[in-house]
Amino acid sequence: MANRPFDLLNDAIGKEVLVVLKGNSQVRGTLQAFDVHMNLVLENAEQLENGEAKTKYGKLMVRGDSVILINP
Amino acid sequence: MANRPFDLLNDAIGKEVLVVLKGNSQVRGTLQAFDVHMNLVLENAEQLENGEAKTKYGKLMVRGDSVILINP
Amino acid sequence: MANRPFDLLNDAIGKEVLVVLKGNSQVRGTLQAFDVHMNLVLENAEQLENGEAKTKYGKLMVRGDSVILINP
Amino acid sequence: MANRPFDLLNDAIGKEVLVVLKGNSQVRGTLQAFDVHMNLVLENAEQLENGEAKTKYGKLMVRGDSVILINP
Amino acid sequence: MANRPFDLLNDAIGKEVLVVLKGNSQVRGTLQAFDVHMNLVLENAEQLENGEAKTKYGKLMVRGDSVILINP
Amino acid sequence: MANRPFDLLNDAIGKEVLVVLKGNSQVRGTLQAFDVHMNLVLENAEQLENGEAKTKYGKLMVRGDSVILINP
Amino acid sequence: MANRPFDLLNDAIGKEVLVVLKGNSQVRGTLQAFDVHMNLVLENAEQLENGEAKTKYGKLMVRGDSVILINP
């Protein structure tokens, strides 16, 4: 059980996460790294539109202050 | 009685909360963790649309600065 | 007479307040707690639409940076 | 003559001010208190629409980061 | 020659400035005071619409974080 | 070669830069000064619309947090 | 493997990156420099519209708080 929100991110390293961004964009990928600003690195990342993969990105850095929700 | 707003979150650990986010999105789930930035972890979470469950997420991390209201 | 804005909040503890939020949403309830970030806890809270009660919430935590106006 | 912007607020205590808020809302009232965040307390306050009084509020706390202009 | 941006404001004290605000509103007036947050006090101020004076304000305090451009 | 982003600004002193602002406004002028907040002073500045000069400003202070892109 | 998000930027120096900005604008170029605010310098930069190069900029400084995603 995660006692702090960032524990959830720590447990999600190496696993697929879905990230909802401001402006209702969504990206999905394997969480490789994060920092205290909630900046994220995703591998095998793709941008979603209406739940469908729209653009494949390989690696992707997500700026933390763009994040609304993270679903590990 | 909560004397400080974060006491309310502390009392809500393990209970269902409804969270209203910027952009009028809503998520609902069992509050598992929070931090001083109001980042939240919800279990058995779902996104709502017009009060109806739209997407089920399992675990969900909510970024604190996306939060408008929390209803424990 | 309040000499500092937060004195007004202190005097409003236990009384009904109307809170205007960013995005023109409004909530009303009995102020139970607040902190230096203007995070608020309201009891017997309800969300208003066009001045009419729309959703009743019981307790409600309002994130301070969503607040525009507070009418004690 | 005000040498610093907050001197203007200090000189306006007890006088009527018009406050233009983000989202083009306007409130008017007698300035009773302010702090370094530009949070304001107005007495005999009213919200304006197209320059006409729309809602009377009595006392009103205005969150500083909602303020665009203050006309003392 | 101004070596730092705030030198420009210092040199503009007592002179007319045009200020472009977020939301494309514009105000014009004689700069009387400013601070490190770029809060401004303007005298003989007026709000402009399409380059025409729309509302005369006398004194006006402009919150710094509403400022986009200042034309001294 | 610039090793840090602000080196680019330092090298651009005295040269023409194009600045893209939030809200898709653009200004162009000779960079005279900047600070750590990315506040800028431009000389012989003009606001652009669809790439055409629309308004000439002489000197212009640009608030750093309005900046999206700077093209030296 | 990047252990921290900024490691990804460090590894991307000298390589082409795609940057998604707030407001859905996109720029592409060779990453030359970055700082802790995620301010970026791109060489041979171009702004994209619908995935097509629209404007070529040569050098470009991108303000960090405009960044949503970086694809190295």
Side-chain angles (χ1 to χ4, degrees), chain A residues 39-50:
Chain A
N39 297 319
L40 309 172
V41 176
L42 304 180
E43 290 181 298
N44 301 318
E46 50 193 15
Q47 193 160 8
L48 305 181
E49 204 168 80
N50 303 318

Side-chain angles (χ1 to χ4, degrees), chain E:
Chain E
M1 177 181 147
N3 290 310
R4 293 166 300 177
F6 278 93
D7 291 347
L8 188 72
L9 290 185
N10 208 44
D11 294 347
I13 290 282
K15 299 181 188 154
E16 194 179 82
V17 298
L18 174 71
V19 183
V20 179
L21 301 170
K22 287 177 186 165
N24 282 320
S25 176
Q26 296 190 332
V27 291
R28 188 167 54 192
T30 303
L31 184 65
Q32 189 188 40
F34 67 91
D35 64 21
V36 294
H37 305 291
M38 220 180 278
N39 297 320
L40 309 172
V41 175
L42 304 181
E43 290 182 297
N44 301 318
E46 50 192 14
Q47 193 160 7
L48 305 181
E49 204 167 79
N50 304 319
E52 303 287 314
K54 183 185 143 205
T55 315
K56 289 185 181 294
Y57 279 117
K59 285 212 181 185
L60 202 55
M61 182 171 176
V62 179
R63 188 172 161 93
D65 71 4
S66 299
V67 172
I68 295 179
L69 300 171
I70 302 172
N71 171 225

